[in-house]
Amino acid sequence: MGVALLAVVFALGLQVLRVLFPIAFELFEGSGYGLTGLATVAIIALGPLLAPILRRDLGDRRALLIAVAMMAIGRVAIQVVGTIPLWLAAATTVFALMALLLIVLGGMAGPSPLLVQGLLLGFALDIAVRGAFRTWDPVWQDGAVPLFIAVAFGSAALILAWRSAPVADTHVSPLGLIALGPFLFLHATYLQDPGVVASRSDIGLALVVVVIVIVDAVSIVVLDIVGRWPRVVVLGAGALGVIGLHVASGPAILIPVALATCGSAAMLAMAFRSERDPSMILAMLGGAGGAALFAVLLIAYQKDRPLPFSADLLLPAAAVLLVVLAWEGWRGRSRDPVPRGGVFALGAIGLLAVPIGSWLAVPATASPSRPAGAVRLVDYNVHSAVNDQGQVVLETIARTIEGYGPSIVVLQEVGRGSPAGGMTDVVGWLSWRLGMRSLFVSSLDDRFGAAILYRPTMQVDSFDHGLLPPSSTPHQRSYLLASFVGGAREPLRVVATHLDADTDPRYRIAEIEVLLRVIGDPADTVVAGDLNAPLGSTELGMFQKVGFVSVQEVTGERDPTFPETGETFDHVLLGPGLTATDVAVDPSHASDHRAVVATIRRL
């Protein structure tokens, strides 16, 4: 009962955290990273900080019931309120993390291995539900099914909390509470993120969800015997897994994902072990410290933090911290066998029925409107599918694109598990929703980049990708070049890119020089993307000198594509042999940029 309570409450906590992140990160752009980052850390740390006080004043059971009830009410309110305000997301997050720590401190789930098994089962439950929606959280969606999910989760948490009681006289170490921070960071941003794993492994999102849930189930079983393993085996497996995340690629990445998941889970169980109940002050410091550490790592890991080192180093740094805390937790503690909880793995495996059932459904897609000898193209910087109020609006993005019936869609700022986009796999979801195939190139890391979607009726002759010269930030830009063939005509080449946004044009000039070398002969070539350069700029002049022309200049379309400044930064450039008709700038506010639409014809 206690493990099930922990799993449901933790899954709810993950849902509300993914609501908080896009809203907070959207505020970063207007209020500055420092101030909003501190506010986000404070929100995430507040619940664990207050939990020991509430436990002392009200007792374990009453405090837990209050926290769970407020969390459940907040989760349903988030589902029905429409545009989700920051205060509601923040308050629900506070109560969710408060309830989580009350379960841990009150011994509701039992000793440390059972605690970690409950967390893994919560991850599996969360992954199964997200998988059923192709990683786009139901919290952002209208309809009866998303509302049912919110009510069902809240009701289950309340029922389980009402029937809960301490399983045994168990205690957790304050160091274990701190270890929750790096553990959650490793899992939430990578190991349990289907978008990231799909991007790194180059396998389908559906299979990735299945693999992650199976790995969770295996890890739950592994925790039954970890107390009998030499600690060097446990620590070594986790370390090898994290190292493998950096060196492996393709389907082989699934091996280090499995090792890192099992190893980090065992490390957290080791770090949790304690022979005495921590004082209220130590519990407050440990709980708040772990939550704050998780928030700091996640904010620093987000796509464009100005760190003095690569953000990828945060993963091994979190792993090292987890190793140290696990080693300390193991030293001098009792190593008696612990209660077995592997039966919960069967429940985790059973959850596979949810995403598998959803993949049998085929979404409605638009039919492309392509006159003979013409290709309809949409270029769109989708801003991680987040609008100016921090809401993840994938369906609005999809309908905007769908309304033009394009054969090719060029996208920038597409997240694949990015926290700023609610950890949604934007590429995977849009490909499924629009019935299109996809090519993706990462920029900075595998969570963020540019993509080309295309109709299955179009044939890709070849494609290439690469990085552009470094800029003033750690966010190194990239390009993707695909050649589409059809009939007896020459291939139509499409280059997708997103150039540097610095006010100094020298960075973009260096990037364009590389792009032009990659392109070579510009004939029958389309360059599409957010070039961060207005019409008439020196940067666009470089393209014009070799024969490219903007579709806006061909047709006289002058509506701005970036309304915040009134500039046109998003372009579709045509090489010799091509022209355009029906050019438009879509007025949708789903992103901070506007989509550029053009029908491209051969001369």
Side-chain angles (χ1 to χ4, degrees):
M1 184 68 70
V3 174
L5 169 64
L6 178 59
V8 172
V9 169
F10 183 53
L12 269 171
L14 292 171
Q15 290 176 20
V16 297
L17 277 171
R18 288 195 299 271
V19 173
L20 178 67
F21 292 148
I23 300 174
F25 281 120
E26 185 63 25
L27 288 177
F28 282 0
E29 296 192 354
S31 304
Y33 291 108
L35 179 61
T36 314
L38 286 174
T40 304
V41 172
I43 290 168
I44 292 175
L46 183 59
L49 182 68
L50 297 177
I53 300 175
L54 204 64
R55 182 189 180 208
R56 180 199 63 185
D57 294 343
L58 301 178
D60 284 325
R61 192 166 183 274
R62 186 178 300 176
L64 179 61
L65 281 172
I66 291 174
V68 170
M70 296 303 295
M71 173 193 65
I73 292 171
R75 174 63 182 88
V76 174
I78 284 173
Q79 192 69 52
V80 302
V81 73
T83 299
I84 304 167
L86 174 62
W87 69 264
L88 180 57
T92 309
T93 299
V94 168
F95 285 113
L97 296 181
M98 180 187 295
L100 178 64
L101 196 66
L102 287 169
I103 294 170
V104 173
L105 291 175
M108 303 295 181
S112 60
L114 287 176
L115 282 175
V116 183
Q117 286 173 328
L119 295 175
L120 289 173
L121 187 57
F123 269 126
L125 177 60
D126 180 61
I127 290 291
V129 172
R130 291 179 65 204
F133 292 89
R134 267 67 173 198
T135 73
W136 185 31
D137 277 307
V139 68
W140 302 108
Q141 303 180 47
D142 298 324
V145 173
L147 179 59
F148 171 78
I149 290 173
V151 173
F153 267 90
S155 300
L158 277 171
I159 293 170
L160 291 169
W162 181 263
R163 300 181 62 183
S164 66
V167 176
D169 186 20
T170 58
H171 311 296
V172 295
S173 165
L175 292 181
L177 298 177
I178 294 175
L180 267 173
F183 173 82
L184 292 180
F185 172 70
L186 283 170
H187 282 253
T189 60
Y190 202 118
L191 302 176
Q192 307 281 347
D193 193 325
V196 173
V197 178
S199 176
R200 285 292 305 273
S201 63
D202 293 325
I203 63 178
L205 187 62
L207 180 57
V208 164
V209 171
V210 173
V211 169
I212 290 176
V213 177
I214 290 175
V215 168
D216 286 337
V218 171
S219 300
I220 290 172
V221 175
V222 166
L223 284 171
D224 272 346
I225 57 175
V226 70
R228 302 168 178 81
W229 284 8
R231 55 189 171 185
V232 67
V233 173
V234 174
L235 300 180
L240 284 174
V242 174
I243 293 172
L245 297 178
H246 288 273
V247 300
S249 61
I253 196 71
L254 299 178
I255 297 175
V257 165
L259 284 174
T261 300
C262 291
S264 61
M267 288 183 220
L268 183 62
M270 293 163 60
F272 265 145
R273 295 164 71 103
S274 178
E275 295 176 346
R276 62 179 182 273
D277 199 17
S279 67
M280 188 184 74
I281 296 298
L282 286 179
M284 292 172 63
L285 293 175
L293 182 58
F294 162 69
V296 168
L297 287 169
L298 187 138
I299 291 170
Y301 192 55
Q302 182 46 36
K303 62 182 175 64
D304 55 1
R305 297 292 76 73
L307 297 174
F309 52 85
S310 171
D312 284 342
L313 294 178
L314 292 173
L315 285 173
V320 168
L321 181 57
L322 192 56
V323 167
V324 171
L325 293 171
W327 189 275
E328 179 61 26
W330 186 271
R331 282 197 314 161
R333 305 291 191 266
S334 170
R335 302 184 191 179
D336 296 333
V338 298
R340 305 178 70 86
V343 66
F344 295 108
L346 299 178
I349 294 174
L351 294 170
L352 292 175
V354 178
I356 289 174
S358 73
W359 295 325
L360 298 177
V362 178
T365 58
S367 299
S369 55
R370 289 186 294 147
V375 172
R376 190 73 156 161
L377 183 145
V378 172
D379 172 70
Y380 204 174
N381 180 329
V382 296
H383 192 50
S384 297
V386 175
N387 66 12
D388 57 3
Q389 295 176 306
Q391 315 295 294
V392 183
V393 289
L394 267 172
E395 181 61 27
T396 307
I397 295 283
R399 289 180 180 177
T400 299
I401 296 170
E402 186 179 56
Y404 293 98
S407 297
I408 298 175
V409 181
V410 178
L411 303 171
Q412 304 88 48
E413 292 193 24
V414 281
R416 305 205 69 179
S418 168
M423 296 182 174
T424 308
D425 184 356
V426 176
V427 176
W429 191 91
L430 284 176
S431 296
W432 167 80
R433 171 64 176 78
L434 297 171
M436 304 179 83
R437 295 174 180 170
S438 64
L439 301 170
F440 174 76
V441 59
S442 62
S443 178
L444 179 67
D445 61 29
D446 298 286
R447 297 169 294 126
F448 190 81
I452 297 176
L453 309 184
Y454 60 97
R455 293 286 172 192
T457 54
M458 302 192 68
Q459 181 181 349
V460 177
D461 179 55
S462 63
F463 70 92
D464 188 19
H465 61 87
L467 291 174
L468 297 174
S471 64
S472 58
T473 71
H475 190 182
Q476 190 171 1
R477 309 289 174 147
S478 56
Y479 69 88
L480 176 62
L481 190 158
S483 293
F484 297 94
V485 295
R489 293 179 177 272
E490 291 296 317
L492 175 69
R493 298 196 300 169
V494 177
V495 179
T497 192
H498 186 185
L499 300 185
D500 187 75
D502 198 282
T503 55
D504 189 341
R506 290 180 297 175
Y507 297 107
R508 288 185 293 279
I509 290 172
E511 291 169 339
I512 293 170
E513 289 174 346
V514 171
L515 273 178
L516 293 178
R517 286 198 296 270
V518 169
I519 293 169
D521 183 0
D524 300 310
T525 301
V526 179
V527 176
D530 177 2
L531 304 184
N532 278 305
L535 291 168
S537 63
T538 301
E539 297 94 301
L540 287 190
M542 296 175 65
F543 286 105
Q544 292 167 343
K545 286 180 180 178
V546 298
F548 284 99
V549 61
S550 167
V551 295
Q552 285 97 328
E553 293 177 342
V554 169
T555 61
E557 171 63 57
R558 287 294 186 269
D559 286 347
T561 65
F562 190 61
E564 183 178 326
T565 62
E567 298 281 6
T568 295
F569 289 147
D570 305 84
H571 301 277
V572 176
L573 307 178
L574 307 178
L578 301 175
T579 189
T581 58
D582 305 319
V583 175
V585 175
D586 187 87
S588 171
H589 291 266
S591 169
D592 59 346
H593 287 250
R594 303 291 182 261
V596 179
V597 186
T599 298
I600 299 171
R601 303 175 183 274
R602 296 181 186 271
L603 294 172

